[in-house]
Every structure is written in C-alpha cells, then in structure tokens.
C-alpha cells in the first residue's frame, strides 16, 4: 500500500496529540459506518417486509406468513450467492479485530472487511437472527488499521487504533461512549492503560457525536427505576446470573452443533443459508421477535407484557434462530442478540423465583441482571456491560447488581467452559487465543531467529581419543555428531568426552545423547521451550526438517528463556506506554 510522506509519519509516531487526532478521525468514520450499515438494514426491512414503522422487525406482533417465510429464504440465497461470487477475491479468511491484535500486530484488510460488512447487511436485512456489530466494528477497526499502516505507526499504536475503531463503532451503535471504550479495552486491545485511554475515549466520543449528528441509530430502551441491592436481593442476583450463564454456554455449544449439522447436509455450501433462512422464517410465523437482533423486542419485555410461558417460548425460539442463523452461514454477531436473550432469561428466572416466593427485585431489574449476565458470558467483557447498563438506564441504584451478575457470569463461564463466543470460535479453528493480548510475537520469535548457525560437527565414528585432541576442555561445551550421510546423530558434552572412564578407541556415538530430540527452524519460542522441557536438555540441535535431519544450528535453553523474558518485558512496557517517545 502507498504510505504517508516520511515527515508526516514522523509527526504521528512522535507526538501523542497527533495520534489522538487520528483516533478522533477514525472514530468519526466508525460513526458513519454505523449509520450507513444500520440504516441500510432498516431500509431493507421496511421494503422487504412491507413495514410501516422505522424498520424494527422484532417488535412486531405478527407478520404475514408468506413474507415471514419467503424473505429469510431469499436473504439466505442472496447471502450464499454473494459469498460464492466474492470467494475468488478473498485470499484468506477475513481477520477480525481480536484476532488481528492478538496475532498480526493490528494488521487488517479493508477490502476483506468491506465484504464482511456487506455480508452482515445482507444477513440482517434478510431477517437473520443476528446483530450488526460484526459488520460495523469489523469495518471501523479495519479503517483504523489502514490509517495506522498508512502512517507506519508502531505496532502497539496500530493495535490501539484498531481498538479505537471497534470501540467507537460499538459506542456509536448504543449511544454509549464509555461502554464503547471498555469494549475496546477488554475485547480488542486486551488491556487497559493510561496511554491508550485518550485515543480510545476520543474515538468513542467522536463516533457517538457523528451518529447523534445524523439523528442516532438505536431507539432508547426505557427501563424503570432500578431496585436497591440488599442481601436477599443479592442472592437473587447470584441465582439469575448463574442460570443465565449456563444458558449462554448452551447457546455457544448450540452454534457449534448447528454448524456441524449443516456441514453434513448434502447441499453446496452456498445453499445452506437459504435452508437456515427457511427454518428461521418458520419460527418468524410464530413470532417476528426471532428476526434481526431484537432491539424492539427488548422494550416489550421491560414493559412487563409477557407471561412466563410465552417468555420461555420466546427464549427457546430466539436461541434456536440465532444458532441456526450463524450455523447455516449467515454473517453477524451475537452481541446484540445476547442482550435480548439475556433479558428473556432474566425475566424467566425472576418469575420462577417469584413463584417460589424468593423474588425481591422487580421484573425489569431481573431482566437487566439477566441481560448483563448473558452478554458477559457470550462476549466476555464485564466492564463493558456494567457501563452499558448505566448508560442505558441512567440509574445507579442497580449498578451493584449489574456488577455482581457480570462478575459471577464471567467466573462461571471461565470455570465451566473457558471461552467467550469469539475465543471459542478461534479454538474451533485451532487458534490458541483467549483474548486480544498480543501473542503474535511468539510466532515471529522462532527458532530460526534465535539459533546459532556456526556449529562445529564431528563424524559419529570419530574415536574419543581423536575428539579429545580436537576439543580440549574449555574449547567448547558440546560436540554435534553427524553420520557419513550428513544426518544428525546426537550431542556429546565436552566434559563427558574427557571423563577418564571412557575408552579412547571407542567411537563418539557411544557417548551421544539427544539423538532423537531436535528443534525445527519454524518452531516458535513457546514450542522450543516445551521441547527443552520434554527432553530435559540444556541445548538442542536445529535440523532443517525431520526427513533430511541435516544440522542447521544449535539453540540453548538459557538463550531461549532469556529472549522469551525480553519479549514479555517489551510487551508489558508497551501496554504501560513506557516505550512511546514524546516531544
């Protein structure tokens, strides 16, 4: 890509004020992304479903059966055909903001992210039971990455710009700048620091400001005044959080099972979303609240217009519709959908406790507790939900209950499941990512970069007496043995070589150790450290591959651990902002 002139890059890299200004611009772009994507889907809803409101599907009492069934099918067909057409342009699977910051130093592709945003609009516009956050947060983060690469900012600053874009998009979508900022810290950057506070917060404020300028995108959910948290109500909060987090684990597992079931269908991949759309459309005939993310349906729950039986039906249908939508191939996220699922779960749990005579909180408070617990369990961001609840309600009376439910939900999911929805998806793909903390350096810090290439070798059939002459005590620590064909045959310690009990006429191969324990150049530092531990060796030979077994270098455990500690310290200083130069 074309880069900014050198003096521009130097200015942005050296002065934090310019980095904040760049973050503000990215935040404004994020707000524009949110407005365009949200209004595009609302327009699609109005046109495709023949609505006379502002395009909010989930709050409708009913839809004509033909449209409820046909539109999701056509949306799934459009999604499948679009993915089929753009497949040749996708060189690899699009990298999302968390993965980009964890593995690639914040590098993302704008064209790939535009495709993801378009897929999200098609999916949600056709009524799929998923949210829009995967589209606008992906695109906003990619724009942050692009501008960071344009100015060639440092790796740590590039990661902050990616987080600023994603956080600004979430803040703009909810009209909640504080929640958007914590979304960036907890999910996309992976840590909170004073250095990253300014650019992330300014980006979130600018994103919210832009959406307000264009009239906003999300109607406010009116939540009655919260209840004061007491000891008895604290027990109720704990029970609701526990039940809701268990339901969240079931939903995350359900997505995986649904994907597996759709992958076994004897259909081409591009037809699977249409099948999923037919299933979601069938549920929409029962209730349109399963369509889209569920913003408007949340208001009905908070108004207290649901019976316990109907709330259970809605929860089961919405959970099934979300799992089917994602499992069949629609593109979107579960953040927005998890809010509605949590509201339903909290409402049901509160009603059951009331039936048992244990309810102290109002139904609206129970719904808020459930919403926080469900979202934290699926998204994995407790402070984001605490701030979002406060910004949505403007009421501090229930803040303790929201905090308690968020913490308990996070602990329950970590203890019983170990992943949020995003990191669980990474795990299924074979990626060892638990957060957005930068671990990409572990892959680039490999054995090839750490090993010493100047290695003296001897033939394995050389006599011990001859080797003692060539390697006197103090000349080296170890000798590398090779066979007549050049293959690695083992290591011999020079101290052991000069031990008097060994026969000088015996071959060196009699003293060889670690002949089967080797390192490969592409192994990362963590894999190398594990190999040293398994072999119980203080040094191992590096071979080019396991077929040829030819020696290319040698690496010691001491040097490996020192480099590992140096990189960890560098990462710690970057998170704390100690490496940033100031003018």
């Amino acid at each position: 890509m074309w880069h900014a002139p050198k003096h521009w890059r130097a200015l942005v890299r050296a002065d934090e004020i310019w980095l904040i200004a760049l973050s503000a611009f990215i935040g404004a772009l994020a707000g524009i992304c949110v407005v365009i994507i949200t209004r595009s889907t609302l327009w699609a809803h109005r046109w495709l479903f023949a609505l006379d409101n502002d395009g909010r599907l989930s709050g409708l009492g009913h839809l004509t059966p033909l449209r409820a069934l046909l539109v999701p099918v056509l949306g799934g067909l459009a999604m499948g055909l679009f993915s089929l057409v753009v497949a040749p342009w996708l060189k690899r699977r699009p990298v999302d903001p968390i993965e980009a910051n964890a593995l690639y130093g914040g590098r993302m592709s704008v064209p790939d992210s535009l495709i993801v945003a378009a897929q999200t609009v098609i999916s949600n516009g056709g009524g799929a039971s998923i949210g829009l956050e995967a589209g606008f947060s992906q695109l906003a983060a990619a724009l942050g990455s692009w501008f960071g690469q344009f100015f060639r900012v440092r790796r740590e600053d590039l990661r902050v710009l990616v987080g600023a874009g994603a956080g600004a998009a979430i803040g703009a979508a909810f009209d909640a700048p504080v929640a958007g900022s914590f979304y960036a810290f907890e999910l996309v950057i992976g840590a909170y620091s004073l250095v990253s506070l300014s650019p992330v917060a300014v980006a979130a404020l600018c994103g919210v400001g832009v959406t307000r300028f264009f009239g906003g995108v999300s109607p406010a959910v009116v939540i009655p005044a919260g209840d004061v948290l007491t000891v008895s109500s604290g027990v109720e909060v704990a029970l609701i959080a526990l039940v809701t987090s268990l339901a969240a684990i079931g939903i995350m597992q359900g997505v995986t099972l649904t994907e597996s079931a759709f992958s076994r269908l004897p259909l081409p991949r591009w037809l699977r979303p249409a099948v999923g759309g037919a299933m979601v459309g069938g549920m929409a005939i029962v209730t349109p609240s399963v369509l889209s993310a569920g913003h408007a349906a949340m208001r009905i729950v908070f108004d207290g217009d649901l019976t316990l039986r109907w709330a259970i039906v809605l929860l089961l249908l919405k959970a099934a519709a979300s799992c089917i939508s994602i499992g069949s191939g629609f593109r979107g996220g579960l953040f927005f959908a998890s809010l509605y699922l949590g509201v339903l779960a909290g409402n049901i749990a509160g009603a059951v406790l009331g039936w048992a005579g244990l309810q102290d909180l109002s139904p609206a408070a129970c719904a808020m507790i459930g919403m926080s617990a469900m979202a934290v369990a699926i998204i994995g961001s407790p402070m984001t939900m605490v701030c979002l609840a406060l910004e949505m309600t403007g009421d501090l009376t229930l803040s303790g209950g929201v905090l308690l439910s968020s913490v308990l939900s996070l602990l329950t999911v970590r203890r019983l499941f170990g992943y949020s929805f995003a990191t669980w998806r990474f795990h299924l793909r074979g990626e060892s990512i638990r957060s957005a903390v930068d671990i990409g350096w572990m892959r680039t810090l490999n054995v090839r970069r750490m090993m010493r290439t100047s290695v003296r070798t001897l033939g394995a059939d050389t006599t011990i007496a001859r080797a003692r002459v060539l390697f006197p005590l103090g000349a080296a620590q170890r000798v590398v043995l090779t066979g007549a064909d050049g293959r690695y045959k083992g290591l011999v310690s020079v101290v052991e070589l000069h031990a008097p009990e060994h026969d000088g006429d015996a071959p060196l191969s009699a003293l060889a150790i670690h002949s089967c324990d080797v390192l490969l150049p592409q192994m990362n530092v963590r894999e190398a450290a594990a190999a040293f531990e398994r072999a119980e060796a203080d040094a191992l030979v590096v071979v080019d591959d396991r077929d040829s077994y030819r020696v290319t270098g040698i690496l010691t455990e001491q040097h490996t651990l020192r480099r590992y500690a140096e990189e960890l310290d560098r990462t710690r200083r970057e998170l704390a902002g100690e490496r940033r130069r100031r003018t």
Side-chain angles (χ1 to χ4, degrees):
M1 63 178 292
W2 181 67
H3 294 96
K6 188 174 182 179
H7 61 283
W8 291 8
R9 301 199 305 265
L11 188 62
V12 173
R13 287 166 64 92
D15 196 333
E16 187 177 3
I17 298 300
W18 286 99
L19 183 66
I20 294 173
L22 181 58
S23 300
F25 178 67
I26 293 169
L29 292 178
I32 294 173
C33 292
V34 171
V35 171
I36 292 175
I37 291 175
T38 303
R39 293 191 175 177
S40 297
T41 56
L42 292 178
W43 176 84
H45 292 166
R46 287 196 299 270
W47 182 62
L48 293 173
F49 290 94
L51 304 182
D52 55 3
N53 61 11
D54 61 353
R56 304 287 174 178
L57 276 174
S58 60
L60 298 176
H62 67 279
L63 276 172
T64 58
L66 179 62
R67 286 189 182 272
L69 183 62
L70 184 61
V71 174
V73 173
L74 293 178
L77 188 61
M79 174 65 188
L81 291 174
F82 179 81
S83 300
L84 187 66
V85 170
V86 301
W89 282 272
L90 284 173
K91 297 180 180 179
R92 64 177 184 179
R93 179 188 49 78
V95 176
D96 81 350
I98 299 176
E99 187 179 7
N101 271 359
L103 298 178
Y104 304 108
R107 292 183 172 272
M108 297 178 65
S109 168
V110 173
D112 290 355
S113 299
L114 282 170
I115 291 175
V116 171
Q119 290 174 325
T120 305
V121 170
I122 294 172
S123 299
N124 191 281
S129 187
I130 45 183
L132 291 170
E133 69 277 4
F136 49 64
S137 64
Q138 173 85 19
L139 184 55
L143 290 173
S145 176
W146 188 91
F147 278 103
Q149 295 177 63
F150 176 77
F151 287 102
R152 290 187 175 176
V153 301
R154 296 179 185 84
R155 181 186 180 100
E156 60 267 28
D157 290 337
L158 184 60
R159 297 178 70 252
V160 169
L161 291 177
V162 170
I170 295 298
F174 286 102
D175 194 28
V178 180
S181 298
F182 273 99
Y183 179 91
F185 294 135
E186 292 183 301
L187 288 181
V188 186
I189 300 175
Y192 168 83
S193 70
L194 292 177
V195 172
S196 58
L197 173 62
S198 298
V200 170
V202 169
L205 288 170
C206 289
V208 171
V210 167
T211 55
R212 289 181 179 177
F213 176 80
F214 286 105
V217 295
S218 180
V221 176
V222 179
I223 301 175
D227 303 338
V228 178
L229 190 65
T230 62
V231 174
S232 58
S233 59
V235 175
E236 185 178 353
V237 168
L239 292 174
I240 294 174
L242 178 61
V243 172
T244 304
S245 57
L246 293 176
I249 294 174
I251 292 171
M252 289 187 281
Q253 292 278 26
V255 172
T256 304
L257 294 175
T258 306
E259 281 184 326
S260 177
F262 272 96
S263 67
R264 292 193 296 267
L265 289 178
L267 294 173
R269 190 181 186 91
W270 62 272
L271 268 180
R272 295 173 190 169
V275 176
M279 299 172 71
V280 173
M283 299 179 199
I285 295 176
V286 179
T287 170
S289 67
V290 302
L291 299 174
S292 189
H295 285 84
M298 286 172 57
R299 290 184 297 207
I300 298 175
V301 181
F302 280 115
D303 290 340
D305 295 336
L306 293 181
T307 63
L308 175 59
R309 180 177 299 178
W310 185 238
I312 294 174
V313 171
L314 290 180
L315 177 62
L316 294 175
L317 289 177
K318 180 63 178 179
S322 296
C323 292
I324 290 171
S325 296
I326 296 178
S328 62
F330 284 104
R331 174 74 73 166
L334 277 182
F335 190 172
F336 288 4
S338 69
L339 300 181
Y340 179 44
L341 287 167
V343 165
L344 289 171
N347 183 271
I348 294 169
V352 171
L353 290 173
W355 175 77
L358 301 175
Q359 184 178 14
D360 291 326
L361 298 174
S362 66
C366 293
M368 175 62 72
I369 296 300
M371 182 187 77
S372 304
M374 179 71 74
V376 169
I378 291 179
I379 307 303
S381 52
M383 286 307 300
T384 300
M385 281 312 304
V386 171
C387 295
L388 181 61
L390 293 177
E391 290 180 290
M392 288 177 66
T393 62
D395 190 351
L396 295 175
T397 55
L398 200 59
S399 58
V402 171
L403 179 60
L404 177 60
S405 68
S406 299
V407 171
L408 291 175
S409 175
L410 183 68
L411 291 175
T412 301
V413 172
R414 283 189 175 180
R415 185 73 175 178
L416 300 180
F417 191 58
Y419 300 90
S420 65
F421 180 67
T423 55
W424 172 241
R425 307 276 286 173
F426 295 143
H427 170 72
L428 294 177
R429 295 203 301 261
E431 296 284 1
S432 56
I433 305 174
R434 292 299 183 99
S435 70
V437 173
D438 189 5
I439 61 172
W441 59 267
M442 291 187 185
R443 298 190 175 187
T444 58
L445 184 61
N446 53 28
V447 170
R448 179 178 285 108
R449 290 179 55 190
M450 296 186 293
M451 70 181 184
R452 178 165 55 86
T453 56
S454 57
V455 181
R456 293 182 62 184
T457 62
L458 275 180
D461 55 355
T462 304
T463 64
I464 293 176
R466 177 60 178 165
R468 286 170 177 169
V469 175
L470 295 174
F471 289 88
L473 282 170
Q477 290 184 314
R478 54 193 65 86
V479 182
V480 178
L481 306 184
T482 57
D485 56 357
R487 292 175 63 86
Y488 169 66
K489 294 298 183 180
L491 280 174
V492 174
S493 167
V494 172
V495 174
E496 184 68 20
L497 174 66
H498 286 270
E501 63 268 20
H502 299 310
D503 183 4
D505 295 328
L508 277 175
S509 57
L511 305 180
I513 59 174
H514 304 307
S515 58
C516 297
D517 300 315
V518 295
L519 299 173
L520 300 177
Q522 65 270 21
M523 284 182 171
N524 62 46
V525 62
R526 179 176 289 178
E527 293 169 336
F532 283 115
E533 185 175 357
R534 286 194 304 269
E536 297 182 353
D538 57 359
L540 288 175
V541 165
V542 184
V543 298
D544 51 0
D545 59 65
R546 295 191 182 276
D547 293 327
S548 67
Y549 236 53
R550 295 188 179 275
V551 177
T552 60
I554 191 168
L555 181 64
T556 65
E557 183 182 32
Q558 182 183 19
H559 181 68
T560 301
L561 296 179
R562 184 172 70 248
R563 289 298 308 276
Y564 185 70
E566 289 172 353
E567 289 298 323
L568 284 177
D569 183 63
R570 180 189 62 82
T571 303
R572 179 196 63 78
R573 287 185 283 116
E574 287 176 356
L575 289 174
E578 297 175 11
R579 290 173 54 88
R580 191 190 301 279
R581 289 185 298 153
R582 301 178 185 274
T583 57

